[in-house]
Each structure stands twice: as C-alpha cells, then as structure tokens.
C-alpha cells in the first residue's frame, strides 16, 4: 500500500477530489499555505493499493494543470532603495501539483 500526498492549488482541489471519488479513490483534504506568492494550497492525502498508484497520479496530472497569472512584483527592500516604488506586474506560472508517494508499513482505520 502507498500513501499519495498531493499539494495542489485551491482552485483545483474540489475538482480533483470529485474525480478521485468517481474513480474509487478516497482522500483526506487539508488546507495549507506556502510556496511561491504564499498562495493558498490544499494538501490531499490518500491511501492506494500499489497497482493503482499510476492511475491516481494520472488523474492528478489531468486535473492540476499549470496556469499563467498576472501579479504585482514584490517591492524592493526599504533598505536597498531611496525614493518611491512604482509597482510593476509580472506574469508567473502557478498551479500544477507536487506529489509524494511513500510506502505505508501499517494502516488501521479506527
């Protein structure tokens, strides 16, 4: 048995959980924050039989695509400049998923 931990964008979380459920996977959803721009993320954990790991990862890959986002550039430190700061926007790539697959030595549902 394997544990799959997927960290995904909040925008993709509900769609991913629905797709996993439709394909017979159960999961636990946890809110999390971090990464670039400190954007809201969702961490989804599920236990999967060894022979279904690739199937679940393919569902994650299909749902959690990267996207382009326009955001304000991070202002420079007040220690490094003198004068005003004119905010600029930049285009960044967000989304996708970070997936960890680990062996489960023991599992009990109590």
């Amino acid at each position: 048995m394997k544990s799959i931990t997927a960290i995904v964008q909040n925008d993709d979380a509900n769609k991913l959980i629905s797709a996993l459920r439709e394909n017979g996977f159960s999961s636990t959803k946890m809110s999390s924050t971090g990464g670039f721009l400190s954007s809201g993320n969702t961490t989804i954990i599920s236990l999967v039989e060894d022979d279904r790991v690739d199937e679940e990862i393919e569902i994650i890959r299909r749902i959690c695509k990267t996207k382009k986002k326009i955001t304000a550039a991070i202002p420079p430190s007040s220690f490094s400049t003198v004068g005003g700061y004119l905010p600029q926007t930049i285009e960044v790539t967000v989304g996708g998923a970070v997936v960890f697959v680990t062996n489960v030595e023991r599992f009990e549902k109590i």
Side-chain angles (χ1 to χ4, degrees):
M1 181 165 273
K2 305 287 188 202
S3 172
I4 297 180
T5 303
I7 303 168
V8 304
Q9 292 288 303
N10 284 345
D11 296 343
D12 296 330
N14 289 334
K15 188 174 179 183
L16 175 59
I17 290 169
S18 293
L20 291 173
R21 189 178 312 119
E22 288 170 9
N23 287 277
F25 297 103
S26 60
S27 60
T28 299
K29 173 183 169 183
M30 297 184 295
S31 296
S32 54
T33 303
F36 188 62
L37 303 176
S38 296
S39 58
N41 298 317
T42 299
T43 300
I44 298 170
I45 301 173
S46 64
L47 292 177
V48 183
E49 295 299 329
D50 291 359
D51 61 343
R52 295 195 72 199
V53 169
D54 290 338
E55 182 183 352
E56 181 165 331
I57 290 175
E58 186 54 39
I59 293 168
I60 295 168
R61 185 175 282 120
R62 187 180 74 233
I63 301 295
C64 301
K65 303 277 187 192
T66 58
K67 314 159 199 44
K68 300 288 185 185
K69 180 178 180 179
I70 304 295
T71 187
I74 299 170
S77 167
S78 59
F79 296 109
S80 65
T81 62
V82 177
Y85 169 71
L86 298 174
Q88 295 179 349
T89 58
I90 57 172
E91 182 179 75
V92 295
T93 301
V94 297
V98 175
V99 179
F100 301 92
V101 179
T102 55
N103 290 319
V104 175
E105 186 174 316
R106 181 175 174 173
F107 168 72
E108 293 184 36
K109 191 170 187 176
I110 301 173

